[in-house]
Amino acid sequence: QVQLQESGPGLVQPSETLSLTCTVSGVSIMTYSWTWIRQPPGKGLEWIGYISYSGNTEYNPSLKSRVTISGDTSQNQLSLKLTSVTAADTAVYYCARERGLLTGPLNPWGQGTLVTVSS
Amino acid sequence: SNELTQPPSVSVSPGQTARITCSSDALAKQYSYWYQQKPGQAPVLVIYRDNERFSGIPERFSGSSSGTTVTLTIDGVQAEDEADYYCQSADSSGTYVIFGGGTKLTVL
């Protein structure tokens, strides 16, 4: 059974870098592509970006200048870094497995982790 | 347009049929996917490739596609179906993932 678990600081200072980890169990991250999504409180889903099984990445154009997604095969983990954060980056951040051609269905999802940007 | 447009809300009585639409020019070229999200929970895949029901999803859920509009249909709605529903697809080039704004389904 594939399971994903997001982790990282729940509070980040404005202008700092948000760093999250997604720990994957039940499958090697090298066999699928993986996606990060976020959801501001009370709002809809926003795609952040993905990393393919071969390590290629693609990002939401609106976040591209601030986002980096990478994978650590030794730890079977994914990471998300978002620089120069503001209050608008406050959201629940999810990682999910992509089961198609990079832009396909997402299953399963992690439980999500709330990140608040505030001083 | 590469945006996915959903109605903000849909209300139905138990046992009735709920239909949630999602529209975009991109849907003429790209597959659609539907997710159900209940309060405090992560989204769950319901429909993939426009009309394929995902494993474990009740048969009352179905998907359809016509041109630039896709529809999630729930026949015989139950109270447990009350949730937010999101459609997902890709932009016309197939490079970026896009989500609809979400539809809140209320079971009266």
Side-chain angles (χ1 to χ4, degrees), chain A residues 37-40 43-47 92 94 109, chain B residues 35 37 43 86-87 98-102:
Chain A
I37 308 100
R38 70 180 183 179
Q39 184 172 35
K43 296 187 177 181
L45 302 170
E46 179 181 28
W47 175 67
V92 175
Y94 296 99
W109 296 52
Chain B
Y35 301 89
Q37 185 180 34
Y86 293 90
C87 61
I98 49 177
F99 285 102

Side-chain angles (χ1 to χ4, degrees), chain A residues 35 37 39 43-47 50 58-61 64 94 98-112, chain B residues 30-31 33 35 37 40-45 47-49 54 84 86 88-91 94-102:
Chain A
T35 297
I37 308 100
Q39 184 172 35
K43 296 187 177 181
L45 302 170
E46 179 181 28
W47 175 67
Y50 59 65
E58 195 66 67
Y59 303 123
N60 187 324
K64 188 173 183 177
Y94 296 99
E98 194 279 329
R99 302 189 65 167
L101 298 174
L102 300 179
T103 58
L106 303 172
N107 170 268
W109 296 52
Q111 67 183 29
Chain B
Q30 305 295 337
Y31 282 122
Y33 313 95
Y35 301 89
Q37 185 180 34
Q41 298 182 20
V44 172
L45 179 64
I47 298 290
Y48 66 100
R49 292 184 193 171
F54 191 64
D84 293 326
Y86 293 90
Q88 176 218 325
S89 187
D91 70 305
T95 303
Y96 307 117
V97 171
I98 49 177
F99 285 102

Side-chain angles (χ1 to χ4, degrees), chain B residues 23-100:
Chain B
S23 300
S24 171
D25 291 343
L27 293 173
K29 297 182 179 180
Q30 305 295 337
Y31 282 122
S32 66
Y33 313 95
W34 289 95
Y35 301 89
Q36 177 192 68
Q37 185 180 34
K38 295 183 177 180
Q41 298 182 20
V44 172
L45 179 64
V46 176
I47 298 290
Y48 66 100
R49 292 184 193 171
D50 295 341
N51 56 20
E52 300 287 342
R53 193 181 312 108
F54 191 64
S55 174
I57 300 301
E59 292 185 4
R60 62 180 181 274
F61 288 86
S62 64
S64 61
S65 175
S66 179
T68 59
T69 298
V70 295
T71 302
L72 173 68
T73 300
I74 310 172
D75 291 311
V77 167
Q78 300 182 8
E80 66 194 51
D81 299 330
E82 185 164 285
D84 293 326
Y85 291 85
Y86 293 90
C87 61
Q88 176 218 325
S89 187
D91 70 305
S92 298
S93 71
T95 303
Y96 307 117
V97 171
I98 49 177
F99 285 102

